[in-house]
Amino acid sequence: MLKRTDGIVLKSTVFGEADLIVTYLTSDYGLLKAFAKSPRKIRSRFGSSLEPLTYSRISMLGKEESNLPRLTQSDIIRPFYSLREDFKCLLNISEILELNLNFLPERESHPEIFRLLLNMLTKLEFNCSNRLYYLYFKIRFLEITGYSPRLDACGRCGDTVEHGRPAKRKNGGPPAHHNFYVSHGSIICQKCIAEGDEPIRLSTSALRFYRSLLKWNPAAIDRIIPPESLLSEIEGIINSHIRYVLGPPRSSYGAVRKDTARIAL
Amino acid sequence: MTQGIIENLITQFTKLPGIGRKTAQRLAFFVLAMPPEEAKGIARAIIDVKDKGRFCSVCFNITDTDPCGICSDQSRDRSAICVVEEPSNIVAVEKTRSFRGTYHVLLGALSPVDGVTPDRLKITELIRRVQSDNVREIILATNPNTKGEITARYITEVLKPLNVKITRIAYGLPIGSDIEFADEVTLTKSIEGRREM
């Protein structure tokens, strides 16, 4: 049976001598793996259309329930090759690709995530150093897939967290904050405070900003310039949460980041 | 239906790239019909390559002597190093007979999604070579795909402070192909890399 859909290449794995197994995020079938015959040969008809991040119109041939349909055609709609040429940018995007590869089940349609990824790549093509784009993607992705950290109420007693109020200062002391526990994936209130686990502090303003990000339209993101400290605070929580949910094998990825920072690309 | 030793030989042949069951069967029966010395010669060559094959301590090419034939060849230009991903790439470049310098094999390419980090490649060894030998030019001949490209860019950044000339092999259309069948990225790159005639 011939299937046609639009897809973004997330990853390709070498198979045999010159073949590839390409993992796509498609608009109709969600995460999908396809077998491509001889794309590594110089005169392959696939050309550069199987490179990561390429958005293309693909045709596949295979039985209805075939695990690995054969890719018969791939026409580039948008190559996004400028994103692949910037090492630092590709590193940041790799994190996004990893999220898709690890959180999404195969062959389950996620048109909302497909649109989110496509929108983000389009925005990043013009400015790939905007940290807010990456953060926005992660927060929205976790929300759509149901892996969001719980930041609206205490993870134990369920009491609603008061995030609407401005940060209070008591006698000139530090601003009021909430304690986020990675192992609980949630904020825990003072009453139910967990023992043994080191919490991450989350300021009231960061919490408010996080809530706003969930509501804002992606088109509005360009117009927002939040303070770096606010971004770092939410990034810290979201990245720790993702690392906790995904498990340890991401340490090698951290090494690339460290090395990149060292040579200050 | 074949059984026993013949079946075992067929199964072993199918482990080779590009060999299906039918070809494996043909090869197995061909080996069976061969003079014993020739068949043993093939077996011995496979055993030798596994027993004696190792990486050259200078360029990390696969060799049975250390340093390898290319690194110990005095007629080679030691001031130019061609950086490749795999030892098989050296064979391809050597076939062109257009390069008389030496090589450096990285034994892979950077891939953040697969967790292939710079410390898993022979990049530190390349930096050491550039620092200790009188190297004039580094030719980056990694594959023209995403992994090869970011590896080339990473090496460029790492080697920049060492004041060595760094060049990248050209992108473009394969000879004998047709422009109308080229994809837009390849064609864009070949237009960007055009040269005056």
Side-chain angles (χ1 to χ4, degrees), chain A residues 43 48 51 85 259 265, chain B residues 146 153-154 157 175 183 189:
Chain A
R43 291 191 192 175
S48 67
E51 288 298 303
E85 290 188 334
D259 227 41
L265 278 172
Chain B
T146 306
R153 282 172 190 266
Y154 180 83
E157 290 300 322
I175 292 174
D183 66 277
K189 288 283 178 190

Side-chain angles (χ1 to χ4, degrees), chain B residues 70 73-82 93-94 96-103 139:
Chain B
I70 295 174
D73 184 348
Q74 294 301 320
S75 67
R76 290 268 178 173
D77 177 8
R78 276 155 209 285
S79 65
I81 299 177
C82 178
V93 180
E94 280 295 284
T96 66
R97 296 167 186 259
S98 57
F99 180 69
R100 290 296 300 161
T102 55
Y103 295 90
I139 302 161

Side-chain angles (χ1 to χ4, degrees), chain B residues 2-107:
Chain B
T2 52
Q3 279 177 357
I5 48 170
I6 292 286
E7 180 59 34
N8 182 32
L9 187 60
I10 294 169
T11 312
Q12 298 305 323
F13 276 136
T14 55
K15 290 177 183 171
L16 298 172
I19 307 279
R21 174 122 192 125
K22 205 160 184 181
T23 313
Q25 204 170 308
R26 238 177 64 221
L27 289 174
F29 282 105
F30 184 78
V31 168
L32 198 66
M34 264 175 142
E37 268 321 298
E38 271 184 45
K40 280 176 188 167
I42 294 174
R44 221 174 292 126
I46 294 173
I47 293 166
D48 279 354
V49 85
K50 291 310 287 177
D51 283 352
K52 297 175 188 166
R54 58 190 148 158
F55 291 120
C56 168
S57 58
V58 181
C59 70
F60 297 96
N61 186 11
I62 291 173
T63 176
D64 55 340
T65 57
D66 193 14
C68 70
I70 295 174
C71 290
S72 52
D73 184 348
Q74 294 301 320
S75 67
R76 290 268 178 173
D77 177 8
R78 276 155 209 285
S79 65
I81 299 177
C82 178
V83 179
V84 293
E85 287 180 22
E86 300 293 342
S88 57
N89 300 154
I90 294 184
V91 180
V93 180
E94 280 295 284
K95 253 166 63 182
T96 66
R97 296 167 186 259
S98 57
F99 180 69
R100 290 296 300 161
T102 55
Y103 295 90
H104 189 89
V105 186
L106 297 170
L107 300 179

